[in-house]
Amino acid sequence: MGLFGGGRPRPMTHRTQVGIVGAGPSGLLLSHLLARDGIESVVVENRSREYCERRQRAGLLEQGTVSLLRDSGLGARLDVEGIEHGGIYLQYAGERYHVDFRDLAGATVTIYAQTEIVKDLIAARLADDQQIEFSVSDTALAEIDSDQPLLRYQDSNGAAHEVVCDVIAGCDGFHGISTIAAPAEQVWERSYPYSWLGVLADVAPSTDDLIYAHHPEGFALHSLRSPQVSRLYLQVDADEDIAAWSDDRIWAALQRRFAVDGWTLHEGPIREKSILPMRSYVRAPMRRGRLFLAGDAAHIVPPTGAKGLNLAVRDVARLATALTSWLRDGDRRLAEEYAEASLRRVWRATHFSWWMTSMLHTTPGDDFGLALQLAQLRYTTTSRAAATTLAENYTGVAAA
Ligand code: APR
Ligand code: PHB
C-alpha cells in the first residue's frame, strides 16, 4: 500500500499546453483553432462521444460564425448542408412581416445544427490525432494560481491521470466544475416565467425563412433543420410537464399560433420533443490566473435569437488568438484583455436575447405588457431604424 491516496496508484502524468474541460462546441473549437496555430491541447469530457454527438441544441449561425468555421477548415459539410437565410418573419395580430437582413444589415444567417458542428469538430480533432478523452469522471482542477495548473481526471477504465498545463480552458458549460475553481466576483441573472417546448418533425418546412410568431396564447417559432425536417418551438409554462403535450396537442397549438390567411402549416410525425429552460446569466470575471472560462460556463442566454452557440464561438476565437500569442510568441497582452473584451460582446447578446424574448412571449393577465409588445412589434416592422437594430443584432454584425 502506498503512503498517500489510501493505497491508490499514482496518477499517470502528462503534459500539454492547454488543458480543456468539456467537449461541447466551445472546448472542441478551441482545441481545433489552437492546433491550427501549433498549440497542443488535451480535451476531457465526462459524457460519451455518442451523447455529445446526439444532443439537440439550436442551429442558427451568424455570418461571422460561418466565416470562422469555413476559414478554419470546417466548411465542407456546412457549405453543402447549411441553409442560408436573408431574413426572418415577425408575426403578430394575425399578420406576417418580413425583415430583410441583406438589405438592412448586408448580412445573412445560416441554419446548420449545433449537433452537426460537434460531429464535424470531433471528426477533425480525431483525424488530426488530437487527444479527446470521452466518458471521464472526477474531473478536478488544482494549482490554479501557479504557473503550472493541473487537470485531473479518471479515464473510462478508471485509471487516474494528471495533466500539467500552461493554461486551462473551462469549457464545461453551466453545470461544470471550472466555475468552482474561478469564483465569480459578480453574477447577473434573470429567469423567465416560461419555457420552450421544442420538437423535431419529419415534414418539409412550411416557410422559406424562420417565423417568430407573437400570439396572445404564447410565442411560437418555426425553424428548420433540412429540406425534409422542421424544428418548431412553443412557449409553455416554466414548470410544464412534457407528458401533458401529445403530438396532437402540439400541432393544434402550432396551428393556432402561426395562423395567417392563405398560408398552411404542414404537419408530420414528431421525432423528438423536449422542454428548454429560459434564463439569462452572466458571471465575471471570465478568468482566474491561468484558468479561462468560455461559452456556457460563463454565460447563458434564453434561446430567442439563438445567440448561445454564436457567443461561445466568439469567446473561443478570441481565446485561441490570445493563447497563441502568449504561448507561442510570449505576448500576454491579448490574454490579459480576454475577460473584459469578451464581456462586451456577451452583454450585447444578453441584451438582444432579453429584448427579443420580452417582445415575443406573453404573460397571462398582463394587458399592459401585451400592448407594449404590440407597439414594439409594429415599430420594428414599420421603422427602418428599428428593423435595422434587429437585423444587425440577429446577424451578429452589431458593434459591441
Ligand atoms: N468534466 C468534463 N466535462 C464536463 C464536465 C466535467 N466536470 N462538466 C460538464 N462537462 C461537459 C458537458 O458534458 C458538455 O459536453 O462540458 C461540455 C459543455 O458543453 P456545452 O454545454 O455545449 O457548452 P459550450 O461548449 O460552451 O457550448 C455553447 O451554445 O447553443 C448554446 O447552450 C448551447 O451548448 C451550447 C452552447
Ligand atoms: C433553432 O433552429 O433551433 C433556432 C432558431 C432560431 C432561434 C432559436 C432556435 O431563435
Side-chain angles (χ1 to χ4, degrees), residues 146-206:
S146 78
D147 283 350
Q148 296 208 310
L150 305 175
L151 168 56
R152 297 186 175 130
Y153 64 95
Q154 264 189 40
D155 68 24
S156 53
N157 299 315
H161 297 261
E162 181 171 278
V163 190
V164 181
C165 310
D166 292 327
V167 161
I168 292 179
C171 301
D172 45 350
F174 192 63
H175 302 288
I177 49 139
S178 303
T179 50
I180 300 165
E185 280 166 20
Q186 191 165 4
V187 167
W188 300 262
E189 211 168 354
R190 169 124 335 160
S191 60
Y192 302 89
Y194 30 75
S195 295
W196 278 13
L197 168 62
V199 307
L200 214 49
D202 286 316
V203 58
S206 303

Coordinates of all heavy atoms in Angstrom, one line a residue, residues 146-206:
S146 N -0.9 28.7 -9.7 CA 0.6 28.5 -10.0 C 0.8 28.7 -11.5 O -0.1 29.0 -12.3 CB 1.0 27.1 -9.6 OG 0.5 26.2 -10.6
D147 N 2.1 28.6 -11.9 CA 2.4 28.7 -13.4 C 2.1 27.4 -14.1 O 2.3 27.3 -15.3 CB 3.9 29.0 -13.5 CG 4.1 30.5 -13.3 OD1 3.1 31.2 -13.1 OD2 5.3 30.9 -13.2
Q148 N 1.8 26.3 -13.3 CA 1.5 25.0 -14.0 C 0.2 24.4 -13.4 O 0.3 23.5 -12.6 CB 2.7 24.1 -13.7 CG 4.0 24.6 -14.4 CD 4.9 23.4 -14.7 OE1 5.1 22.6 -13.9 NE2 5.3 23.4 -16.0
P149 N -0.9 24.9 -13.8 CA -2.2 24.4 -13.3 C -2.3 22.9 -13.7 O -1.8 22.5 -14.7 CB -3.3 25.3 -13.9 CG -2.6 25.9 -15.1 CD -1.1 26.0 -14.8
L150 N -3.1 22.2 -12.9 CA -3.2 20.7 -13.1 C -4.7 20.4 -13.4 O -5.6 20.9 -12.8 CB -2.8 20.0 -11.8 CG -1.4 20.2 -11.3 CD1 -1.2 19.5 -10.0 CD2 -0.4 19.8 -12.3
L151 N -4.8 19.5 -14.4 CA -6.2 19.0 -14.8 C -6.1 17.5 -14.4 O -5.3 16.7 -15.0 CB -6.4 19.2 -16.3 CG -7.6 18.5 -16.9 CD1 -8.9 18.8 -16.3 CD2 -7.6 18.9 -18.4
R152 N -7.0 17.1 -13.5 CA -7.0 15.7 -13.1 C -8.3 15.0 -13.5 O -9.4 15.7 -13.5 CB -6.9 15.6 -11.6 CG -5.6 16.1 -11.0 CD -5.5 15.8 -9.5 NE -4.2 16.3 -9.1 CZ -3.9 17.0 -8.0 NH1 -5.0 17.5 -7.3 NH2 -2.7 17.4 -7.7
Y153 N -8.3 13.8 -13.8 CA -9.5 13.0 -14.2 C -9.2 11.5 -14.1 O -8.0 11.1 -14.1 CB -10.0 13.4 -15.6 CG -9.0 13.0 -16.7 CD1 -9.2 11.8 -17.4 CD2 -7.9 13.9 -17.1 CE1 -8.3 11.5 -18.4 CE2 -7.1 13.5 -18.1 CZ -7.2 12.3 -18.8 OH -6.4 12.0 -19.8
Q154 N -10.3 10.8 -14.1 CA -10.2 9.3 -14.3 C -10.7 9.0 -15.7 O -11.8 9.4 -16.1 CB -11.1 8.6 -13.3 CG -10.3 8.3 -12.0 CD -11.1 7.4 -11.1 OE1 -11.9 6.5 -11.5 NE2 -11.0 7.7 -9.8
D155 N -10.0 8.1 -16.4 CA -10.4 7.8 -17.7 C -11.5 6.7 -17.6 O -11.9 6.3 -16.5 CB -9.3 7.3 -18.6 CG -8.6 6.0 -18.2 OD1 -9.3 5.2 -17.5 OD2 -7.5 5.8 -18.6
S156 N -12.1 6.3 -18.8 CA -13.3 5.4 -18.8 C -12.9 4.1 -18.2 O -13.9 3.3 -17.8 CB -13.8 5.3 -20.2 OG -12.8 4.9 -21.1
N157 N -11.6 3.7 -18.1 CA -11.3 2.5 -17.4 C -11.0 2.6 -15.9 O -10.5 1.7 -15.3 CB -10.0 1.9 -18.1 CG -10.3 1.6 -19.6 OD1 -11.3 1.0 -19.9 ND2 -9.4 2.0 -20.4
G158 N -11.1 3.8 -15.4 CA -10.9 4.1 -14.0 C -9.5 4.4 -13.7 O -9.2 4.6 -12.5
A159 N -8.6 4.6 -14.7 CA -7.2 5.0 -14.4 C -7.1 6.5 -14.1 O -7.7 7.3 -14.9 CB -6.3 4.6 -15.5
A160 N -6.3 6.9 -13.1 CA -6.2 8.3 -12.8 C -5.1 9.0 -13.6 O -4.1 8.4 -13.9 CB -5.9 8.4 -11.3
H161 N -5.4 10.2 -14.1 CA -4.5 11.0 -14.9 C -4.3 12.4 -14.3 O -5.3 12.9 -13.7 CB -5.0 11.1 -16.3 CG -5.1 9.8 -17.0 ND1 -4.2 9.4 -17.9 CD2 -6.1 8.9 -17.0 CE1 -4.6 8.2 -18.4 NE2 -5.7 7.9 -17.9
E162 N -3.1 12.9 -14.5 CA -2.9 14.3 -14.1 C -2.2 15.0 -15.3 O -1.1 14.5 -15.7 CB -2.0 14.3 -12.9 CG -1.7 15.7 -12.4 CD -1.0 15.7 -11.0 OE1 -1.7 15.5 -10.0 OE2 0.2 15.8 -11.0
V163 N -2.8 16.0 -15.8 CA -2.2 16.8 -16.9 C -1.6 18.1 -16.4 O -2.4 18.9 -15.9 CB -3.2 17.0 -18.0 CG1 -2.5 17.5 -19.3 CG2 -4.0 15.8 -18.4
V164 N -0.3 18.3 -16.6 CA 0.3 19.5 -16.2 C 0.2 20.5 -17.4 O 0.6 20.2 -18.5 CB 1.8 19.3 -15.9 CG1 2.5 20.6 -15.5 CG2 2.0 18.2 -14.9
C165 N -0.4 21.6 -17.2 CA -0.8 22.5 -18.3 C -0.1 23.9 -18.1 O 0.2 24.3 -17.0 CB -2.3 22.8 -18.3 SG -3.3 21.3 -18.2
D166 N 0.0 24.6 -19.2 CA 0.4 26.0 -19.1 C -0.8 26.9 -18.8 O -0.7 27.9 -18.1 CB 1.0 26.5 -20.5 CG 2.3 25.9 -20.8 OD1 3.1 25.6 -19.8 OD2 2.6 25.6 -22.0
V167 N -2.0 26.4 -19.4 CA -3.2 27.2 -19.2 C -4.3 26.2 -19.2 O -4.2 25.1 -19.9 CB -3.4 28.1 -20.4 CG1 -4.8 28.6 -20.6 CG2 -2.5 29.3 -20.3
I168 N -5.4 26.5 -18.5 CA -6.6 25.6 -18.6 C -7.8 26.4 -19.1 O -8.0 27.6 -18.7 CB -7.0 25.0 -17.2 CG1 -5.8 24.0 -16.8 CG2 -8.3 24.3 -17.2 CD1 -6.0 23.3 -15.5
A169 N -8.6 25.8 -20.0 CA -9.8 26.5 -20.5 C -11.0 25.7 -20.0 O -11.2 24.5 -20.2 CB -9.8 26.5 -22.0
G170 N -11.8 26.5 -19.2 CA -13.1 25.9 -18.7 C -14.2 26.0 -19.7 O -14.7 27.1 -19.8
C171 N -14.4 25.0 -20.4 CA -15.5 25.0 -21.5 C -16.5 24.0 -21.1 O -17.1 23.3 -22.0 CB -14.8 24.7 -22.8 SG -13.5 25.8 -23.4
D172 N -16.8 23.8 -19.8 CA -17.7 22.7 -19.4 C -19.1 23.2 -19.0 O -19.8 22.5 -18.2 CB -17.0 22.0 -18.2 CG -16.4 22.9 -17.1 OD1 -16.3 24.2 -17.4 OD2 -16.0 22.5 -16.1
G173 N -19.5 24.3 -19.6 CA -20.9 24.6 -19.6 C -21.4 25.0 -18.2 O -20.6 25.3 -17.3
F174 N -22.7 25.2 -18.1 CA -23.3 25.8 -16.9 C -23.2 24.9 -15.7 O -23.1 25.4 -14.6 CB -24.8 26.0 -17.2 CG -25.5 26.9 -16.2 CD1 -25.1 28.2 -16.1 CD2 -26.5 26.4 -15.4 CE1 -25.7 29.0 -15.1 CE2 -27.2 27.2 -14.5 CZ -26.8 28.5 -14.3
H175 N -23.1 23.6 -15.9 CA -23.1 22.7 -14.7 C -21.7 22.1 -14.5 O -21.5 21.1 -13.8 CB -24.1 21.6 -14.8 CG -25.5 22.1 -15.0 ND1 -26.2 22.6 -13.9 CD2 -26.3 22.1 -16.0 CE1 -27.4 23.0 -14.3 NE2 -27.5 22.7 -15.6
G176 N -20.7 22.8 -15.0 CA -19.3 22.2 -15.0 C -18.6 22.5 -13.7 O -19.2 23.0 -12.7
I177 N -17.3 22.2 -13.6 CA -16.5 22.4 -12.4 C -15.6 23.6 -12.5 O -15.1 24.0 -11.4 CB -15.6 21.1 -12.1 CG1 -14.8 20.8 -13.4 CG2 -16.4 20.0 -11.6 CD1 -13.4 20.4 -13.1
S178 N -15.4 24.1 -13.7 CA -14.4 25.2 -13.8 C -14.9 26.5 -13.0 O -14.1 27.2 -12.5 CB -14.3 25.6 -15.3 OG -13.8 24.5 -16.0
T179 N -16.2 26.7 -13.0 CA -16.7 27.9 -12.3 C -16.4 27.8 -10.8 O -16.4 28.8 -10.1 CB -18.2 28.1 -12.6 OG1 -18.9 26.8 -12.3 CG2 -18.4 28.5 -14.0
I180 N -16.2 26.6 -10.3 CA -15.9 26.4 -8.8 C -14.5 26.9 -8.6 O -14.2 27.6 -7.6 CB -16.1 25.0 -8.4 CG1 -17.6 24.5 -8.7 CG2 -15.7 24.8 -6.9 CD1 -17.8 23.0 -8.6
A181 N -13.6 26.6 -9.5 CA -12.2 27.0 -9.3 C -12.0 28.5 -9.6 O -11.0 29.1 -9.2 CB -11.3 26.2 -10.3
A182 N -12.9 29.1 -10.4 CA -12.8 30.5 -10.7 C -14.1 31.2 -10.1 O -15.0 31.5 -10.9 CB -12.7 30.7 -12.2
P183 N -14.1 31.4 -8.8 CA -15.4 32.0 -8.2 C -15.7 33.4 -8.9 O -14.8 34.2 -9.2 CB -15.0 32.2 -6.8 CG -13.7 31.4 -6.5 CD -13.0 31.3 -7.9
A184 N -17.0 33.6 -9.0 CA -17.4 34.9 -9.7 C -17.3 36.0 -8.7 O -17.6 35.8 -7.5 CB -18.9 34.7 -10.1
E185 N -16.9 37.2 -9.2 CA -17.0 38.4 -8.3 C -18.4 38.9 -8.4 O -18.9 39.6 -7.5 CB -15.9 39.4 -8.8 CG -14.5 39.1 -8.3 CD -13.5 39.9 -9.0 OE1 -13.8 40.9 -9.7 OE2 -12.3 39.4 -9.0
Q186 N -19.0 38.7 -9.6 CA -20.4 39.2 -9.7 C -21.1 38.3 -10.7 O -20.6 37.8 -11.7 CB -20.4 40.6 -10.3 CG -21.8 41.2 -10.2 CD -21.8 42.7 -10.4 OE1 -20.7 43.4 -10.7 NE2 -23.0 43.3 -10.3
V187 N -22.4 38.1 -10.4 CA -23.3 37.3 -11.2 C -24.5 38.1 -11.5 O -25.1 38.7 -10.6 CB -23.7 36.0 -10.5 CG1 -24.8 35.3 -11.2 CG2 -22.5 35.0 -10.4
W188 N -24.9 38.1 -12.7 CA -26.2 38.8 -13.1 C -27.1 37.7 -13.6 O -26.7 36.9 -14.5 CB -25.9 39.8 -14.2 CG -25.0 40.9 -13.9 CD1 -25.3 42.2 -13.5 CD2 -23.6 40.9 -14.0 NE1 -24.2 42.9 -13.3 CE2 -23.1 42.2 -13.6 CE3 -22.6 39.9 -14.4 CZ2 -21.7 42.5 -13.6 CZ3 -21.3 40.3 -14.4 CH2 -20.8 41.5 -14.0
E189 N -28.4 37.7 -13.2 CA -29.2 36.6 -13.5 C -30.7 37.1 -13.7 O -31.1 38.0 -13.0 CB -29.2 35.6 -12.4 CG -29.4 34.2 -12.8 CD -29.1 33.2 -11.8 OE1 -28.6 33.6 -10.7 OE2 -29.3 32.0 -12.0
R190 N -31.4 36.5 -14.7 CA -32.8 36.8 -14.8 C -33.5 35.5 -15.2 O -33.0 34.8 -16.2 CB -33.0 37.9 -15.9 CG -34.5 38.0 -16.3 CD -35.1 39.4 -16.1 NE -34.5 40.2 -15.1 CZ -34.6 41.6 -15.1 NH1 -35.3 42.2 -16.0 NH2 -34.1 42.3 -14.2
S191 N -34.5 35.1 -14.5 CA -35.2 33.9 -15.0 C -36.6 34.4 -15.6 O -37.0 35.5 -15.3 CB -35.5 32.9 -13.9 OG -36.2 33.5 -12.9
Y192 N -37.1 33.6 -16.5 CA -38.3 34.0 -17.2 C -39.4 33.0 -16.8 O -39.2 31.8 -16.6 CB -38.1 33.9 -18.7 CG -37.0 34.8 -19.1 CD1 -35.6 34.4 -19.2 CD2 -37.2 36.2 -19.5 CE1 -34.6 35.2 -19.5 CE2 -36.2 37.0 -19.9 CZ -34.9 36.6 -19.9 OH -33.9 37.4 -20.2
P193 N -40.7 33.5 -16.7 CA -41.8 32.6 -16.2 C -42.3 31.7 -17.3 O -43.5 31.4 -17.3 CB -42.8 33.6 -15.8 CG -42.6 34.8 -16.6 CD -41.2 34.9 -16.9
Y194 N -41.5 31.2 -18.2 CA -41.9 30.3 -19.3 C -40.7 29.5 -19.8 O -39.6 29.8 -19.5 CB -42.6 31.0 -20.4 CG -42.1 32.5 -20.7 CD1 -40.8 32.7 -21.3 CD2 -42.8 33.6 -20.3 CE1 -40.4 34.0 -21.5 CE2 -42.4 34.9 -20.5 CZ -41.1 35.0 -21.1 OH -40.7 36.3 -21.2
S195 N -41.0 28.4 -20.5 CA -40.0 27.6 -21.2 C -40.4 27.4 -22.6 O -41.4 27.9 -23.1 CB -40.0 26.2 -20.5 OG -39.6 26.3 -19.2
W196 N -39.5 26.8 -23.4 CA -39.9 26.4 -24.8 C -40.0 24.9 -24.8 O -39.3 24.1 -24.2 CB -38.7 26.7 -25.7 CG -38.7 28.1 -26.2 CD1 -39.4 29.2 -25.7 CD2 -37.9 28.7 -27.3 NE1 -39.1 30.3 -26.4 CE2 -38.2 30.0 -27.4 CE3 -37.0 28.1 -28.2 CZ2 -37.6 30.9 -28.3 CZ3 -36.4 28.9 -29.1 CH2 -36.7 30.3 -29.2
L197 N -41.1 24.5 -25.5 CA -41.2 23.1 -25.9 C -40.7 23.0 -27.3 O -41.3 23.6 -28.2 CB -42.7 22.7 -25.8 CG -43.1 21.3 -26.4 CD1 -42.4 20.2 -25.7 CD2 -44.6 21.1 -26.3
G198 N -39.6 22.2 -27.5 CA -39.0 22.1 -28.9 C -39.4 20.8 -29.5 O -39.3 19.7 -28.8
V199 N -39.7 20.8 -30.8 CA -40.0 19.5 -31.5 C -39.2 19.4 -32.8 O -39.0 20.4 -33.4 CB -41.5 19.2 -31.7 CG1 -42.3 19.3 -30.5 CG2 -42.1 20.1 -32.8
L200 N -38.9 18.2 -33.1 CA -38.2 17.9 -34.4 C -39.3 17.1 -35.2 O -39.7 16.0 -34.7 CB -37.0 17.1 -34.2 CG -35.7 17.3 -35.1 CD1 -35.4 18.7 -35.2 CD2 -34.6 16.5 -34.4
A201 N -39.7 17.6 -36.4 CA -40.8 16.9 -37.1 C -40.3 16.5 -38.5 O -39.7 17.3 -39.2 CB -42.0 17.7 -37.1
D202 N -40.7 15.3 -38.9 CA -40.3 14.8 -40.3 C -41.3 15.4 -41.3 O -42.2 14.7 -41.7 CB -40.3 13.3 -40.3 CG -39.0 12.8 -39.6 OD1 -37.9 13.3 -39.8 OD2 -39.2 11.8 -38.8
V203 N -41.2 16.7 -41.5 CA -42.1 17.3 -42.5 C -41.3 18.5 -43.1 O -40.5 19.2 -42.4 CB -43.4 17.8 -41.9 CG1 -43.2 18.7 -40.7 CG2 -44.3 18.4 -42.9
A204 N -41.4 18.7 -44.4 CA -40.8 19.8 -45.1 C -41.2 21.1 -44.4 O -42.4 21.3 -44.1 CB -41.1 19.8 -46.6
P205 N -40.2 22.1 -44.2 CA -40.6 23.3 -43.6 C -41.7 24.0 -44.4 O -41.7 23.9 -45.6 CB -39.3 24.2 -43.7 CG -38.2 23.1 -43.8 CD -38.8 22.0 -44.5
S206 N -42.6 24.7 -43.7 CA -43.8 25.3 -44.4 C -43.4 26.8 -44.8 O -44.3 27.5 -45.2 CB -45.0 25.3 -43.5 OG -45.3 24.0 -43.1

